[in-house]
Amino acid sequence: DFSAAPLVSFERHKNTKKHQGVVENIEKTVKTPFYLVFSDDIEWARNNLPTNHEQVFVSHNRGAASFNDMRLMASCAHHIVA
């Protein structure tokens, strides 16, 4: 159940300092954040996600299964979209 999980979506050309501020805000308000990370560049996100909390990088939903990304996003209680 991801009902309390913040969702983070990063893109490689975005400002990581801005991401850090947003992630810090989530981590002040959510007791135990769990991040689902969606990106068009998962490797960049792995190297630049500014948190030490649990995270899952979602990259396996392709083609006809790509709608599952939206289902996962909809199940999250918090969203950070860049």
Side-chain angles (χ1 to χ4, degrees), residues 2-3 9 12-13 16 20-22 25-27 37 39 45 49-51 59-60 63-67 76-77:
F2 298 116
S3 61
S9 175
R12 70 178 170 272
H13 63 277
T16 54
Q20 181 63 42
V22 174
N25 188 48
I26 286 287
E27 292 178 359
V37 182
S39 176
L49 181 61
T51 186
S59 62
H60 58 277
S66 61
F67 73 93
C76 295

Side-chain angles (χ1 to χ4, degrees), residues 32-81:
T32 309
F34 175 86
Y35 293 91
L36 295 177
V37 182
F38 302 84
S39 176
D40 62 347
D41 189 343
I42 288 292
E43 198 57 39
W44 184 92
R46 284 183 200 279
N47 294 325
N48 291 281
L49 181 61
T51 186
N52 293 322
H53 289 278
E54 188 174 0
Q55 50 200 294
V56 171
F57 295 87
V58 181
S59 62
H60 58 277
N61 295 320
R62 303 260 184 232
S66 61
F67 73 93
N68 286 310
D69 285 357
M70 296 304 290
R71 289 179 46 193
L72 286 170
M73 289 179 199
S75 69
C76 295
H78 305 279
H79 300 85
I80 302 169
V81 181

